[in-house]
Amino acid sequence: MTALPQPVTRLTRWRQSDLWWSFTQSKAAMFAAGLLAFLVITAFAAPLYVPQNPFDPAQLTLLNAEYPPIWVEGGQWPFLLGTDTQGRDILSAILYGSRVSILIGLASVFFALVVGLGTGLVAGYYGGLIEDALMRIGDVLLSIPTILIAILVSAIVRELLPTHLREVGAAGVLVLAIVLSGWVQYARTVRAQTSVERGKEYVQAAQLLKVPARRIMFRHILPNTLTPIFVAATLNFGMAILTEATLSFLGIGMPASQPSLGTLIRLGNQFLFSGMWWITVFPVLQLCLLVVAVNLLGDWLRDALNPKLR
Amino acid sequence: MIVFLVKRLANAALVMLVVALMAFLIFRFVGDPVQLMVNEQTTQAERDALREGLGLNDPVAVQFLRFVGNAVQGDFGVSYRNQQEVMSLIAERFPATIELVLLATVISLVVGVPLGVITAIHRGTWFSEGLQFLSIIGVSLPSFVIGILLILIFSVILNVLPAFGRGEVVSIGWWTTGLLTQSGRAALILPAVALSLYQITLVMRLVRAEMMEVLRSDFIKFARARGVPRSRVHYVHALRNCLMPVVTMTAMNIGSLIAFALITETVFQWPGMGMLFIQAVTFVDIPVMAAYLCIVSFIFVALNTLVDIAYALIDPRLRAARG
């Protein structure tokens, strides 16, 4: 009885949680989290240390073009991973491209969550016509493969934008395409959970106390539906990065002036047969590392939050 | 049962109608069809005549009904880009895509099922854990990346397999096949493997999960106790009870494989429907886009409906629950 009770901060609560314990027990999860942190930090700190801004034409010279990686004969300092046909440093391009990919992935998941949680809560809480309408829309969206929805939305919205906005708005169009193809999953999960929670005593009590419906939905019910959403959002972050890369690879995503990893792969793909493999292979590797890290983390999270597996 | 059947079919029809509405809205309101079909020399009078001839002055509802009526008869109009009938363009490309998708499905079953069984039986060994880890990587690799890596290894470095095209094809009636010629078969290998990889990981994970459940059940314990050889217990008694969900998933996923094939087809320059669609997207060839959307969704919805009905036929409990 000597130790004084420590003040319970958020940090100590987190350190004592089951989730943190399970994290420290899982090598795969710690490896994935470390890798992800490394990739994100190197990407966002890139302007501090890379040899050039790869998308400022003034900093590129054709004299530096087509160097292979530094460990291959003909490689040149400071171009560690070589250069492309315009003298652009591949390492710098990859790091700048990762920033675009990560930001679009985050934005897509965030807005899909906002739309999905909002509609799911309202549909589950009020039921009736709103619920029916939502379920039918979900049925239709789920009966078209998601990649097809993303491609169609992206192609059509680009076409509807005035020409001078197409390059500037490319990121926004991509986010919209990924959100529209992805929000249904959240909406369905939250709706199912909400219609269960709606009948429980704590909700009835809150209703009797005349707590406003909006407050009941967001402060009382929502926290109880978040566990499966947490897992889905993590895995969907990986999916969103992949969808963005796929659209950019197909030529209906980020333009060459502000490339994501997918754009870099598309541009490099033309040089695969001329022996300049490094232009494609390094962006491919970076993309895979990024998504593998996210998916490993999501996989661990699914098991760690699953009460059946405890 | 009849009530269930009618409900399920009505639902499918409703979904298709909404898809058709989306296709129609794209067709009608993204860009002006007349503007896209004429050139600079066309006079105003000719433009008006064309507009009238296409029925674009009728009420939108009438236009939609006409669109659906034509679509049901397989008439999706004329491609803006090369003035060919959309339906004949798609019919030309259809066999290439189907051949690719079916072969990828076969590969995914032939490879995925045994891998799933092995990882379930030898749970916890380094071999099984390694495969499980590889399957996460398999899910994380986008299909175009797999395509590029396969091309790099087998076409650029080893130079043993072709990286693009379909090779020589033989026509049987209106169907064309690459399976009957040497170059056709060689050209099919890389795209089919690239397309099947994701599917392999899905099949493997599903079989593994199902097997682990079945292996715990009493009839397996009984078979073991009776002295049935282990391999027979695993591959005959247990596996047979896992196959139902595998078959379901495979059937349902053929639709998404057709959609995903468009990426594989672009990487390998495979002359299928998907490449036609991507070219249409780049040139904003709306009739082709609308037709592709309708056809792929139709295959998708039809397969899902068939699977649901088959399930209801096999398992009477579902009829009561959903009917």
Side-chain angles (χ1 to χ4, degrees):
Chain A
M1 299 303 271
T2 50
L4 286 170
Q6 294 284 317
V8 181
T9 61
R10 270 169 190 267
L11 188 69
T12 53
R13 264 175 63 189
W14 168 237
R15 292 291 293 268
Q16 288 163 1
S17 68
D18 290 349
L19 197 61
W20 175 254
W21 186 82
S22 144
F23 181 74
T24 57
Q25 296 304 303
S26 164
K27 278 191 194 123
M30 288 201 285
F31 167 74
L35 179 61
L36 190 61
F38 173 76
L39 293 174
V40 170
I41 292 169
T42 49
F44 281 90
L48 299 177
Y49 62 86
V50 293
Q52 54 169 231
N53 175 354
F55 306 111
D56 177 6
Q59 295 187 25
L60 306 179
T61 59
L62 284 177
L63 286 177
N64 289 334
E66 303 186 12
Y67 286 136
I70 194 137
W71 61 87
V72 177
E73 177 139 15
Q76 191 86 24
W77 182 261
F79 306 113
L80 286 178
L81 300 181
T83 58
D84 69 3
T85 50
Q86 288 160 26
R88 183 176 292 148
D89 176 39
I90 298 290
L91 179 62
S92 317
I94 290 175
L95 293 173
Y96 274 71
S98 306
R99 293 201 300 182
V100 176
S101 293
I102 293 171
L103 285 179
I104 291 181
L106 281 180
S108 313
V109 171
F110 176 76
F111 287 112
L113 273 175
V114 171
V115 177
L117 295 187
T119 46
L121 269 179
V122 171
Y125 189 72
Y126 291 110
L129 246 157
I130 307 175
E131 190 173 19
D132 284 346
L134 179 83
M135 296 301 283
R136 286 289 90 79
I137 296 174
D139 277 349
V140 173
L141 281 179
L142 289 179
S143 56
I144 309 172
T146 45
I147 188 76
L148 198 55
I149 300 180
I151 290 176
L152 278 172
V153 172
S154 170
I156 290 162
V157 176
R158 261 157 60 100
E159 184 56 27
L160 292 175
L161 279 181
T163 325
H164 63 278
L165 281 180
R166 280 186 199 164
E167 290 226 336
V168 191
V173 173
L174 277 171
V175 171
L176 181 71
I178 301 172
V179 168
L180 280 182
S181 62
W183 65 276
V184 182
Q185 191 196 350
Y186 302 119
R188 293 203 147 205
T189 319
V190 171
R191 184 208 64 86
Q193 196 76 30
T194 305
S195 48
V196 173
E197 298 289 326
R198 182 178 59 182
K200 292 195 176 163
E201 283 93 345
Y202 74 91
V203 175
Q204 291 172 346
Q207 283 167 339
L208 282 175
L209 287 171
K210 292 267 188 290
V211 178
R214 198 156 39 129
R215 196 177 158 82
I216 297 181
M217 279 191 269
F218 285 95
R219 299 298 294 272
H220 297 212
I221 298 180
L222 186 61
N224 287 311
T225 64
L226 280 183
T227 307
I229 292 296
F230 208 41
V231 177
T234 311
L235 291 173
N236 279 356
F237 176 50
M239 278 301 292
I241 292 179
L242 285 189
T243 311
E244 185 279 325
T246 304
L247 292 180
S248 293
F249 175 77
L250 293 174
I252 43 176
M254 296 305 285
S257 56
Q258 35 171 341
S260 69
L261 290 172
T263 322
L264 291 175
I265 296 170
R266 172 169 64 93
L267 297 174
N269 197 23
Q270 308 160 15
F271 303 111
L272 205 55
F273 281 94
S274 41
M276 288 182 274
W277 50 271
W278 58 90
I279 306 181
T280 324
V281 168
F282 292 121
V284 162
L285 277 180
Q286 173 84 352
L287 179 66
C288 296
L289 282 180
L290 197 58
V291 180
V292 167
V294 173
N295 281 355
L296 276 176
L297 215 51
D299 242 38
W300 160 74
L301 205 57
R302 180 172 51 202
D303 291 348
L305 293 177
N306 186 347
K308 280 191 210 151
L309 290 180
R310 286 229 179 104
Chain B
M1 183 63 204
I2 290 178
V3 177
F4 172 81
L5 205 67
V6 170
K7 269 196 173 173
R8 198 64 196 80
L9 287 176
N11 197 18
L14 188 71
V15 169
M16 274 321 293
L17 210 60
V18 178
V19 171
L21 180 64
M22 278 160 56
F24 169 73
L25 291 177
I26 298 169
F27 175 72
R28 184 64 190 79
F29 294 109
V30 180
D32 180 4
V34 173
Q35 207 62 42
L36 288 161
M37 287 166 92
V38 298
N39 53 34
E40 276 117 54
Q41 276 93 43
T42 323
T43 63
Q44 190 59 44
E46 282 170 329
R47 284 169 197 239
D48 289 342
L50 186 58
R51 190 173 292 276
E52 189 61 46
L54 288 171
L56 294 178
N57 292 332
D58 297 341
V60 173
V62 175
Q63 290 186 40
F64 175 57
L65 286 180
R66 195 184 306 133
F67 178 85
V68 172
N70 288 341
V72 169
Q73 296 166 33
D75 177 9
F76 285 96
V78 175
S79 158
Y80 292 157
R81 194 156 66 95
N82 44 19
Q83 304 300 324
Q84 268 180 289
E85 287 268 329
V86 172
M87 211 49 209
S88 71
L89 273 177
I90 288 187
E92 218 171 84
R93 307 291 195 97
F94 187 72
T97 297
I98 295 301
E99 216 163 81
L100 182 61
V101 166
L102 288 184
L103 188 64
T105 306
V106 171
I107 294 177
S108 72
L109 289 177
V110 170
V111 179
V113 171
L115 283 183
V117 175
I118 291 169
T119 49
I121 301 172
H122 304 288
R123 197 150 58 99
T125 62
W126 63 269
F127 177 70
S128 156
E129 294 298 309
L131 271 177
Q132 192 71 1
F133 181 73
L134 275 184
S135 81
I136 292 186
I137 295 184
V139 174
S140 308
L141 288 179
S143 50
F144 69 92
V145 159
I146 295 164
I148 290 174
L149 293 180
L150 286 176
I151 289 179
L152 182 66
I153 295 170
F154 292 99
S155 304
V156 180
I157 299 178
L158 299 177
N159 199 13
V160 285
L161 288 170
F164 52 83
R166 222 187 145 190
E168 256 179 86
V169 291
V170 179
S171 14
I172 306 167
W174 63 277
W175 188 272
T176 56
T177 177
L179 288 174
L180 297 176
T181 64
Q182 183 76 40
S183 69
R185 281 192 296 265
L188 194 54
I189 296 175
L190 287 187
V193 170
L195 186 59
S196 66
L197 211 61
Y198 182 73
Q199 194 71 14
I200 290 177
T201 61
L202 288 187
V203 171
M204 178 186 134
R205 287 171 151 238
L206 184 65
V207 171
R208 177 177 183 270
E210 292 287 323
M211 275 295 277
M212 283 173 20
E213 211 146 278
V214 172
L215 285 178
R216 276 202 293 262
S217 58
D218 287 340
F219 78 95
I220 293 294
K221 283 180 196 149
F222 178 68
R224 284 250 180 87
R226 223 175 44 173
V228 179
R230 257 169 196 270
S231 65
R232 197 177 151 75
V233 172
H234 291 150
Y235 286 93
V236 179
H237 295 233
L239 183 57
R240 200 184 273 175
N241 282 283
C242 305
L243 285 183
M244 190 68 188
V246 176
V247 171
T248 315
M249 193 193 69
T250 306
M252 285 188 160
N253 273 8
I254 286 181
S256 20
L257 270 185
I258 293 178
F260 267 100
L262 67 90
I263 300 160
T264 315
E265 287 177 9
T266 313
V267 176
F268 289 96
Q269 300 291 302
W270 184 262
M273 287 195 295
M275 213 169 85
L276 183 74
F277 174 68
I278 289 296
Q279 284 165 349
V281 166
T282 357
F283 289 95
V284 204
D285 193 345
I286 306 283
V288 177
M289 284 163 71
Y292 181 83
L293 173 67
C294 288
I295 290 171
V296 171
S297 303
F298 176 74
I299 298 176
F300 206 73
V301 171
L303 284 171
N304 281 355
T305 311
L306 278 180
V307 168
D308 265 14
I309 292 174
Y311 252 76
L313 279 177
I314 298 165
D315 190 344
R317 283 171 303 179
L318 290 176
R319 276 178 242 162
R322 291 204 230 157

